[in-house]
């Protein structure tokens, strides 16, 4: 007889989860990755009854997703990636999620680092999962020493050659670097990994003492009220957050949450964002 494996919330460890949505075909607008076209599509969204966190469960094989399939399916190749980069850089600032993000981070950092000695030293930012690198381009223009890390070689080649920032190609979890960063950013990254607490803890170890970490994740609570077709619940997100699960994840990783906000972005995404200070 097949025994059912017990499922635990990856954020609070609770085993009480309820079924929220079920899918027998991809929701409208979901990118058709190779793995989901070849296999029977079945997926469900569960919600933790303690911290409100959502998880997406399925048995489809996603091993190759971020080392190639993601760029293949989303941008085709490096040229396609560069074209998308130029298109987003030219968006009307009022319609750009990224312009608002950069403004928000620069405003917060200016206050956060205002007591530093010397006050105007060049600060270092590391962006995890840099993708198109639109964010780091603007941070570089604002005077930050900027470094990208992404598992896809084409994304890093683009970051170095077109954007002019430093770059590491590979899995952040195995990055070995003595470099310490004043700011580490996770712009829509932690929802893509199976153990977000572990990834955030790794970032804490790459931060300067008392450094700042910025996080954006999909807001499952607001999105769920709008129904199962919302992009926040698409297949490439094993984790979708609640206000409580985001703050709990930060504390478990060794971060003091300084500010958490929920927003609706110009692109219509429902997002939770947070700034946390590295403890110790
Ligand atoms: Zn939970």
């Amino acid at each position: 007889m097949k025994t059912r494996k017990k499922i635990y919330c990856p954020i609070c460890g609770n085993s009480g989860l309820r079924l929220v949505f079920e899918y027998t075909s991809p929701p409208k607008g979901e990118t058709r990755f190779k793995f989901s076209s070849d296999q029977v599509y079945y997926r469900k969204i569960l919600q933790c009854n303690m911290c409100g966190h959502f998880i997406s469960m399925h048995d489809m094989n996603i091993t190759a997703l971020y080392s190639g399939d993601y760029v293949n399916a989303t941008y085709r190749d490096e040229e396609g990636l560069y074209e998308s980069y130029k298109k987003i850089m030219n968006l009307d600032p009022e319609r750009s999620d990224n312009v608002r993000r950069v403004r928000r981070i620069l405003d917060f950092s200016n206050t956060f680092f205002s007591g530093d000695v010397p006050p105007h030293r060049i600060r270092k930012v590391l962006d995890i999962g840099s993708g198109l690198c639109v964010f780091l381009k603007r941070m570089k223009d604002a005077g930050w020493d900027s470094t990208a890390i992404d598992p896809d070689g084409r994304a890093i080649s683009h970051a170095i050659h077109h954007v002019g920032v430093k770059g590491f190609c590979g899995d952040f979890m195995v990055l070995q670097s003595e470099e310490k960063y004043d700011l580490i950013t996770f712009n829509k990254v932690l929802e893509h990994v199976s153990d977000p607490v572990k990834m955030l803890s790794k970032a804490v170890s790459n931060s300067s003492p008392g450094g700042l970490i910025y996080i954006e994740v999909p807001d499952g609570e607001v999105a769920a009220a709008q129904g199962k077709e919302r992009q926040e619940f698409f297949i490439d997100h094993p984790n979708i957050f609640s206000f409580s699960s985001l703050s709990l994840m930060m504390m478990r990783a060794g971060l003091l949450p300084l500010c958490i906000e929920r927003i609706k972005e110009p692109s219509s995404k429902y997002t939770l964002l947070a700034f946390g200070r590295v403890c110790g």
Side-chain angles (χ1 to χ4, degrees):
M1 205 174 89
K2 207 175 166 187
T3 48
R4 282 179 81 187
K5 218 176 122 203
K6 210 168 176 77
I7 300 161
Y8 296 92
C9 170
I11 307 299
C12 77
N14 167 47
S15 63
L17 293 109
R18 70 180 183 97
L19 178 67
V20 183
F21 299 129
E22 259 182 313
Y23 305 83
T24 52
S25 61
K28 196 168 159 256
E30 183 174 276
T31 305
R32 295 305 306 264
F33 297 109
K34 212 160 85 235
F35 69 88
S36 60
S37 320
D38 305 343
Q39 302 170 59
V40 175
Y41 194 102
Y42 177 75
R43 195 160 68 81
K44 57 188 176 184
I45 302 285
L46 305 177
Q47 185 178 23
C48 172
N49 62 18
M50 287 288 280
C51 72
H53 191 69
F54 296 82
I55 53 173
S56 168
M57 305 277 304
H58 63 80
D59 291 326
M60 294 175 274
N61 178 14
I62 58 164
T63 328
L65 184 55
Y66 295 106
S67 56
D69 272 8
Y70 193 80
V71 168
N72 292 343
T74 315
Y75 310 116
R76 295 188 327 275
D77 52 20
E78 192 180 332
E79 213 34 58
L81 202 121
Y82 189 35
E83 289 307 314
S84 303
Y85 163 80
K86 286 191 283 195
K87 213 164 99 191
I88 294 182
M89 286 302 292
N90 288 325
L91 273 181
D92 169 2
E94 286 317 302
R95 288 183 50 219
S96 164
D97 295 355
N98 189 69
V99 167
R100 293 189 186 195
R101 169 189 295 151
V102 171
R103 205 180 292 151
R104 185 185 302 132
I105 292 175
L106 292 177
D107 284 351
F108 197 96
S109 307
N110 283 341
T111 311
F112 184 81
F113 293 112
S114 61
D116 272 19
V117 182
H120 300 299
R121 69 183 175 83
I122 292 177
R123 297 198 174 84
K124 287 186 235 173
V125 56
L126 173 67
D127 186 42
I128 317 285
S130 54
L132 288 180
C133 221
V134 171
F135 168 71
L136 274 191
K137 161 71 175 144
R138 295 201 164 106
M139 291 301 284
K140 179 187 154 219
D141 290 349
W144 285 67
D145 176 334
S146 303
T147 305
I149 179 163
D150 200 283
D152 194 286
R154 290 161 291 188
I156 289 305
S157 171
H158 159 76
I160 295 171
H161 300 115
H162 299 142
V163 185
V165 297
K166 297 173 195 165
F168 294 111
C169 178
D171 178 359
F172 171 60
M173 292 309 292
V174 296
L175 170 71
Q176 293 199 336
S177 166
E178 294 303 306
E179 198 78 70
K180 300 288 180 195
Y181 297 90
D182 302 292
L183 169 67
I184 296 183
T185 51
F186 289 93
N187 298 318
K188 313 273 163 49
V189 167
L190 293 167
E191 64 273 30
H192 296 272
V193 301
S194 58
D195 192 343
V197 175
K198 199 169 163 192
M199 185 174 260
L200 200 51
S201 306
K202 163 81 172 117
V204 167
S205 73
N206 291 96
S207 294
S208 313
L212 193 61
I213 293 188
Y214 176 76
I215 302 164
E216 279 181 20
V217 286
D219 181 348
E221 288 167 312
V222 175
Q226 308 282 320
K228 66 192 271 192
E229 302 286 319
R230 286 287 317 177
Q231 59 180 303
E232 288 77 5
F233 297 109
F234 282 180
I235 193 165
D236 48 333
H237 299 165
N239 288 286
I240 309 99
F241 290 78
S242 69
F243 202 96
S244 301
S245 73
L246 171 56
S247 44
L248 188 56
M249 169 178 71
M250 294 172 78
M251 290 187 281
R252 283 191 58 203
L255 282 175
L256 177 68
L258 300 174
C259 153
I260 301 182
E261 260 182 67
R262 50 178 21 133
I263 57 166
K264 184 174 187 184
E265 306 204 58
S267 65
S268 89
K269 286 177 186 154
Y270 292 115
T271 297
L272 282 162
L273 63 93
F275 289 92
R277 185 167 65 81
V278 174
C279 299

